[in-house]
Amino acid sequence: MTADAPPSVDSVTEQTFIARVLGADRSALEAKGTAGLRSELMRVLREAVRMGRLAPGVRLPSSRSLAADLGLARNTVADAYAELVAEGWFIARQGSGTRVAQRAELPRAESRRATGLAPLRTVRPRPAHNLMPGLPDLSTFPRADWLKSSRRALAAAPNDALGYGDPRGRVELRTALADYLARARRVYTHPEHIVICAGFTQALKLVGEVLRRRQAREVAVESYGLDVHWRLLADAGLHMPCLPVDGSGARTGNLAGMRGVGAVLLTPAHQFPTGALLHPDRRAAAVDWARSTGGLILEDDYDGEFRYDRHPVGALQGIDPERVVHLGTTSKSLAPGLRLGWMVLPESLVTEVVETKGISDWSASALEQLTLAEFIESGAYDRHVRSMRLRYRRRRDQLVAVLAERAPEVRVSGVPAGLHAMLELPKGGEALALRAAAWQGLALEGFSRFRHPDEAPGRDALVIGYGAPTDSAWAGALEALCRVLTQMP
Amino acid sequence: MTADAPPSVDSVTEQTFIARVLGADRSALEAKGTAGLRSELMRVLREAVRMGRLAPGVRLPSSRSLAADLGLARNTVADAYAELVAEGWFIARQGSGTRVAQRAELPRAESRRATGLAPLRTVRPRPAHNLMPGLPDLSTFPRADWLKSSRRALAAAPNDALGYGDPRGRVELRTALADYLARARRVYTHPEHIVICAGFTQALKLVGEVLRRRQAREVAVESYGLDVHWRLLADAGLHMPCLPVDGSGARTGNLAGMRGVGAVLLTPAHQFPTGALLHPDRRAAAVDWARSTGGLILEDDYDGEFRYDRHPVGALQGIDPERVVHLGTTSKSLAPGLRLGWMVLPESLVTEVVETKGISDWSASALEQLTLAEFIESGAYDRHVRSMRLRYRRRRDQLVAVLAERAPEVRVSGVPAGLHAMLELPKGGEALALRAAAWQGLALEGFSRFRHPDEAPGRDALVIGYGAPTDSAWAGALEALCRVLTQMP
């Protein structure tokens, strides 16, 4: 869209390079006398990397052709490349020429300038194969249907929908969600108990703040989960004792013995990352605990629509709407980029949450909310979920079948659901597999990465996200995974 | 949009009523024996109000016609209406039949159920005339152009734009903004120092958190401003000493004498609500203070594009990009409902802000960000701002002219800019005017409403938002204002 946007291709042709990368600096370059040329070229190239005009992993033109194009001696360019390789800006690989290094490899001296960029996702290198858990297949986003819904929603929107909104979010969306969640997830609620958020993280942050105001000190969490969620709760000043997780989900029976716990964060439909379904007895135990102690259950229903062997098990919220905060988003069903999520609240919590949210009022875009409402009402959401369910189910079946054939010692655990599966490995296998995966350029996660600090090291396993790749990339990713697993001793 | 959405018309025809309002409950109703009929009908109607299927203010069908339609005795319906009026659910007005009451009028016994709703904007009664400051004319939102930009942006978006985003926001938007802000506001920055937020409030919340982490205790604010901003900073644990405001803006010279102040929140282009432009000497004083103490200037540029007598004065940020955090949004220029804003950060602050934001990552919708980028790049944003500038300027000129003729004792103060003007009244005039305005059904604000707690009571004045009304409503609102001002003793 703009001249400054990083080239999307993975190599830069000389012309692009001159136009996009050097840009105005070219003249500065040409102004220099021969002496300063090399260092000036280096400065320009460093700046191009810093400014993102040269994205990590991009291949640079050969020193010969760039030199010809800039009217410099080839050695000047070759030396500049060499020094930047030495400094860690570029990488020279046999056969693949000179490439821009990953930011992580920036030399210490540069780290201050670089820190603004280093932690950001967008500048991460693209792996050759992506099996990271937690991502849907973004290529399947129903752009045409979504645009149609935007058009309808925008045409129907009253003017004041464009004003400062109700902190709960648009009533049209809350109404559509109340219907949908009742239908799809057996959630029992009505629109005025739903609050729209910018994704799950905002919802959890809000609940954390409310719990803190209610003098809660601790929120129990599952012994395996996402550290970003734990950090959010910690930021709210909460401690997080953990419940052991096994094949039947979290041991919610332990809650009875925990003092000072005001809430418990669970993934009942599909424990992340083990993939376990919370056992009926443990659902009951959680609800009994909540009722007897006045505690809250935070139900993270992140991929509840995706069950492949049966109709999805109804949400825990349906059992006791007054004790369960049901949290969902469109991040797995549509796209995380929409930043749309919802909290289904016990009536007793609505006012506090709305007031807490109302202060900062960082609600989602009204137009996006109206678009999603229309998207759901029109049936497009159900259609999309159905087709994604088939797609992901196919992938999971292929994963299971291929592994059974080529890596029979690897066990796929967890219920057939969601966008990820856990592969249990022989003792010591996880570290080996991760190293092998790195060599294959295959991005995936190890089970231990999700372990709660208080939990003792457990099984060796991999967490495979089969949602992430596009259909065309899926076969290659699966093949890479097999190579990783078969290469292991 | 949905069967459950409140009818947009202000009265409900019998058919709509049966279909939308009673819906499934009709059968429940028909199942009842005569005895329970009235109470059952009341239950159904109460629920319809609670669920928002009957919106506040909606006129109900006559008891005669509803009775006929439901096959009930007219008295059954009439009695049910009467009791619900008695309970405070409905209101019966001479001539206008029976209407749903405003939620605020729910009887005490119901207030617990109602608390979730009471404080929310959407259920406030609509005033006859709206001159509230802080709102643009929402009827002018360029729906067609925006939709065109959405279509283009969605077509051009790479798949991974739909993934979990860079906490800074989309590079396309940051790049477009860097250009635009340099052009329109003389802001000196580049894309990697810009962070996209969900409006000004999120930006201020983030800066507040970062200041707190830096051990700042106090943020100086202007002696007149928005209490919601003060609350945000207070929530971050900051104290807020204030700088007196006069015709030349905030007395930034006082900063030198204030100990422990880590930052100052200013509205340099158009002080809110006095409308003063920050005097050059005071701009210099603020920057000198920031440089000598290492303090930060938070520049709230909420309506900087709207200056009517000259080219807008450049942003303070241009003077010292390393000491000023420049904050802007589309809330005044396009619509608050977009929840799109930006922070232009000193390089030294980027990492902390991005990390603080990254934890919760409540960034705005990627599609909305790409749409705004395209909207700016296509020139539609400049066109829209230009046409709004003409529209608001015309309104401000009319306001000044009409008041000069009909209320010559009222002085319009502040520079000709933005979406609001301050009307200075004779001593004691503010309270009288507010009361008169209430009688006229005219919504506006009194000056004292924006006074900082530490500030002594000041002039009597009104703050008039001439942005809020539509073109068709503007004349009526202006006339109502004149009646208010001329009715005063």
Side-chain angles (χ1 to χ4, degrees):
Chain A
M1 179 172 293
T2 86
D4 271 357
S8 52
V9 295
D10 109 311
S11 82
V12 186
T13 69
E14 285 64 29
Q15 281 327 309
T16 332
F17 193 90
I18 301 303
R20 288 194 181 177
V21 181
L22 299 191
D25 287 321
R26 186 191 189 169
S27 47
L29 196 57
E30 290 167 340
K32 289 283 166 185
T34 333
L37 266 177
R38 190 189 60 186
S39 60
E40 180 60 16
L41 176 58
M42 287 171 62
R43 186 192 66 75
V44 168
L45 291 170
R46 276 199 212 90
E47 196 56 20
V49 174
R50 286 202 190 97
M51 301 288 291
R53 290 197 300 268
L54 271 178
V58 165
R59 190 168 80 245
L60 298 145
S62 73
S63 54
R64 180 194 306 277
S65 55
L66 181 59
D69 222 323
L70 291 171
L72 302 173
R74 183 190 173 179
N75 283 351
T76 312
V77 178
D79 295 350
Y81 278 17
E83 284 209 36
L84 289 170
V85 168
E87 287 183 16
W89 290 84
F90 294 167
I91 295 177
R93 277 214 206 77
Q94 281 304 354
S96 78
T98 307
R99 290 175 177 277
V100 177
Q102 309 313 339
R103 285 265 168 32
E105 296 168 23
L106 280 187
R108 276 283 133 267
E110 291 293 341
S111 60
R112 215 196 111 274
R113 279 199 69 85
T115 40
L117 302 168
L120 302 183
R121 296 193 187 87
T122 45
V123 294
R124 286 228 192 105
R126 281 249 183 59
H129 306 289
N130 185 1
L131 291 178
M132 293 292 282
L135 268 182
D137 179 347
L138 297 172
S139 71
T140 63
F141 183 77
R143 299 189 183 211
D145 288 347
W146 186 258
L147 192 62
K148 190 190 295 172
S149 292
S150 307
R151 188 166 52 246
R152 288 200 194 131
L154 193 51
N159 284 332
D160 61 10
L162 299 166
Y164 288 96
D166 179 338
R168 291 177 303 176
R170 293 295 305 175
V171 64
E172 296 87 340
L173 178 54
R174 289 184 282 115
T175 309
L177 281 171
D179 288 359
Y180 173 77
L181 294 173
R183 229 174 346 101
R185 302 295 299 124
R186 306 270 184 273
V187 166
Y188 179 83
T189 187
H190 46 78
E192 75 187 37
H193 294 175
I194 296 179
V195 171
I196 307 301
C197 310
F200 178 84
T201 45
Q202 186 193 5
L204 190 60
K205 203 173 153 81
L206 276 169
V207 176
E209 286 174 25
V210 169
L211 286 169
R212 230 21 225 100
R213 293 186 183 196
R214 292 186 160 199
Q215 310 305 325
R217 296 241 164 290
E218 302 191 336
V219 172
V221 298
E222 297 167 323
S223 57
Y224 285 83
L226 284 173
D227 55 359
V228 60
H229 297 169
W230 301 333
R231 281 171 66 194
L232 275 172
L233 294 169
D235 286 349
L238 295 156
H239 296 282
M240 280 149 291
C242 69
L243 301 171
V245 167
D246 60 27
S248 306
R251 296 225 187 91
T252 53
N254 297 14
L255 284 166
M258 297 166 122
R259 310 206 133 275
V261 170
V264 57
L265 175 61
L266 297 172
T267 49
H270 194 222
Q271 204 280 331
F272 187 87
T274 64
L277 170 70
L278 189 61
H279 187 281
D281 300 346
R282 298 191 178 179
R283 302 183 141 224
V287 173
D288 292 345
W289 166 81
R291 285 177 177 165
S292 58
T293 62
L296 281 175
I297 300 168
L298 313 181
E299 177 175 37
D300 178 1
D301 197 45
Y302 65 103
D303 65 4
E305 291 104 338
F306 296 117
R307 181 76 194 244
Y308 310 129
D309 54 340
R310 49 158 290 166
H311 188 82
V313 175
L316 194 56
Q317 191 270 358
I319 303 180
D320 191 341
E322 272 310 301
R323 303 256 50 95
V324 180
V325 175
H326 179 86
L327 303 159
T329 74
T330 56
S331 297
K332 308 292 182 278
S333 56
L334 275 167
L338 296 178
R339 309 308 306 134
L340 281 173
W342 46 84
M343 338 170 54
V344 178
L345 296 164
E347 181 179 8
S348 57
L349 218 60
V350 171
T351 310
E352 273 169 278
V353 169
V354 169
E355 280 169 358
T356 308
K357 185 167 190 283
I359 293 170
S360 50
D361 191 33
W362 11 290
S363 38
S365 153
L367 297 182
E368 292 282 56
Q369 292 184 57
L370 294 171
T371 299
L372 179 58
E374 161 63 28
F375 193 78
I376 293 172
E377 293 288 329
S378 69
Y381 190 73
D382 289 76
R383 275 200 308 281
H384 180 67
V385 168
R386 267 198 306 278
S387 82
M388 294 314 288
R389 196 181 285 130
L390 288 174
R391 177 185 307 257
Y392 293 139
R393 176 192 189 146
R394 202 158 47 231
R395 289 188 189 177
R396 193 177 195 286
D397 293 346
Q398 287 166 353
L399 173 70
V400 172
V402 168
L403 292 183
E405 180 194 333
R406 297 181 52 184
E409 71 289 356
V410 176
R411 192 174 138 264
V412 180
S413 62
V415 295
L419 314 184
H420 75 277
M422 192 160 94
L423 311 189
E424 305 200 23
L425 305 176
K427 192 83 195 117
E430 184 172 325
L432 294 170
L434 290 176
R435 211 165 311 127
W439 281 105
Q440 296 282 346
L442 169 60
L444 43 68
E445 295 278 17
F447 183 48
S448 55
R449 145 115 178 57
F450 300 102
R451 194 173 75 239
H452 188 284
D454 301 350
E455 177 75 359
R459 291 163 293 181
D460 283 44
L462 297 177
V463 183
I464 299 297
Y466 46 80
T470 61
D471 272 352
S472 53
W474 165 242
L478 192 52
E479 176 56 33
L481 176 62
C482 288
R483 280 199 301 273
V484 165
L485 294 173
T486 49
Q487 273 171 17
M488 290 166 40
Chain B
M1 173 174 301
T2 86
D4 273 357
S8 51
V9 294
D10 104 313
S11 83
V12 186
T13 68
E14 286 63 29
Q15 282 326 310
T16 332
F17 193 90
I18 302 302
R20 290 193 181 179
V21 180
L22 298 192
D25 288 320
R26 185 193 190 168
S27 45
L29 197 57
E30 291 165 339
K32 291 282 167 186
T34 331
L37 266 176
R38 190 190 60 185
S39 60
E40 180 62 14
L41 177 58
M42 288 170 62
R43 188 192 64 74
V44 168
L45 291 170
R46 275 199 212 91
E47 197 56 18
V49 174
R50 286 205 189 96
M51 301 286 289
R53 289 197 300 268
L54 273 177
V58 166
R59 190 166 79 244
L60 297 145
S62 73
S63 54
R64 182 194 306 278
S65 53
L66 181 59
D69 222 325
L70 291 171
L72 303 173
R74 182 190 172 180
N75 283 351
T76 312
V77 178
D79 295 349
Y81 277 17
E83 283 211 35
L84 290 170
V85 168
E87 286 183 16
W89 290 85
F90 293 167
I91 297 178
R93 278 214 204 77
Q94 282 303 353
S96 79
T98 308
R99 290 175 177 276
V100 177
Q102 305 305 342
R103 286 270 171 27
E105 296 168 23
L106 281 187
R108 277 283 132 268
E110 290 292 341
S111 61
R112 217 191 109 274
R113 283 198 68 85
T115 41
L117 303 168
L120 303 182
R121 296 193 188 87
T122 45
V123 294
R124 286 224 194 109
R126 277 244 185 62
H129 306 288
N130 185 1
L131 290 178
M132 293 291 281
L135 269 182
D137 179 347
L138 297 172
S139 70
T140 63
F141 183 76
R143 300 188 182 210
D145 287 348
W146 186 260
L147 193 62
K148 190 190 297 175
S149 292
S150 306
R151 188 167 51 245
R152 287 199 195 133
L154 193 50
N159 285 332
D160 61 10
L162 299 165
Y164 289 95
D166 180 338
R168 289 177 304 177
R170 293 295 306 174
V171 64
E172 296 88 340
L173 178 54
R174 290 185 281 115
T175 309
L177 280 171
D179 289 358
Y180 172 77
L181 293 173
R183 230 175 345 102
R185 303 295 301 123
R186 305 269 183 275
V187 166
Y188 178 83
T189 186
H190 45 78
E192 74 187 36
H193 293 175
I194 296 179
V195 171
I196 307 301
C197 311
F200 178 84
T201 45
Q202 186 193 5
L204 190 60
K205 206 171 149 80
L206 278 169
V207 176
E209 286 173 25
V210 168
L211 286 169
R212 222 37 216 94
R213 293 187 181 195
R214 290 186 162 199
Q215 309 306 325
R217 297 241 164 290
E218 302 190 336
V219 172
V221 298
E222 297 166 323
S223 57
Y224 285 84
L226 285 174
D227 55 1
V228 59
H229 296 170
W230 300 333
R231 281 171 66 194
L232 275 172
L233 294 170
D235 286 349
L238 294 156
H239 295 281
M240 279 151 290
C242 70
L243 301 171
V245 167
D246 60 27
S248 306
R251 296 226 188 90
T252 53
N254 297 12
L255 285 166
M258 297 166 122
R259 308 206 137 275
V261 170
V264 57
L265 175 62
L266 297 172
T267 49
H270 193 223
Q271 204 281 330
F272 189 87
T274 64
L277 170 71
L278 189 61
H279 187 282
D281 299 346
R282 297 191 177 179
R283 303 183 140 224
V287 173
D288 292 345
W289 165 81
R291 285 176 177 166
S292 59
T293 63
L296 280 175
I297 299 168
L298 313 180
E299 177 175 38
D300 178 2
D301 197 45
Y302 65 102
D303 64 5
E305 291 106 337
F306 297 118
R307 181 75 193 247
Y308 310 128
D309 55 339
R310 49 157 292 167
H311 189 79
V313 175
L316 195 54
Q317 191 269 0
I319 303 179
D320 191 340
E322 270 312 300
R323 303 255 52 94
V324 180
V325 175
H326 178 86
L327 304 159
T329 74
T330 55
S331 297
K332 307 294 182 277
S333 57
L334 275 167
L338 297 178
R339 308 309 305 136
L340 281 174
W342 46 85
M343 339 171 54
V344 178
L345 296 164
E347 181 179 6
S348 57
L349 216 60
V350 171
T351 310
E352 275 168 276
V353 170
V354 169
E355 280 170 357
T356 307
K357 185 168 190 284
I359 293 171
S360 50
D361 191 33
W362 12 288
S363 40
S365 151
L367 297 182
E368 292 281 58
Q369 292 184 58
L370 294 171
T371 300
L372 179 57
E374 160 63 29
F375 194 77
I376 294 172
E377 296 282 333
S378 70
Y381 190 73
D382 289 77
R383 273 200 310 281
H384 180 67
V385 167
R386 266 198 306 278
S387 82
M388 294 313 289
R389 196 181 284 130
L390 289 174
R391 175 184 308 255
Y392 293 139
R393 176 191 188 147
R394 203 157 47 231
R395 290 187 188 177
R396 192 177 197 284
D397 293 347
Q398 288 166 353
L399 172 70
V400 172
V402 167
L403 291 184
E405 181 195 333
R406 297 182 52 185
E409 72 287 359
V410 176
R411 195 174 135 266
V412 181
S413 62
V415 294
L419 314 184
H420 74 276
M422 192 160 96
L423 311 188
E424 305 203 22
L425 305 176
K427 192 85 194 115
E430 183 172 324
L432 293 169
L434 290 175
R435 210 165 313 127
W439 282 103
Q440 295 283 347
L442 169 61
L444 44 66
E445 295 278 17
F447 183 49
S448 55
R449 145 113 176 60
F450 300 102
R451 196 175 73 238
H452 188 284
D454 301 350
E455 177 76 359
R459 292 163 292 181
D460 283 43
L462 297 177
V463 183
I464 300 297
Y466 46 80
T470 61
D471 272 352
S472 52
W474 164 241
L478 193 52
E479 177 56 33
L481 176 62
C482 287
R483 281 199 299 275
V484 165
L485 295 172
T486 49
Q487 272 171 16
M488 291 167 39

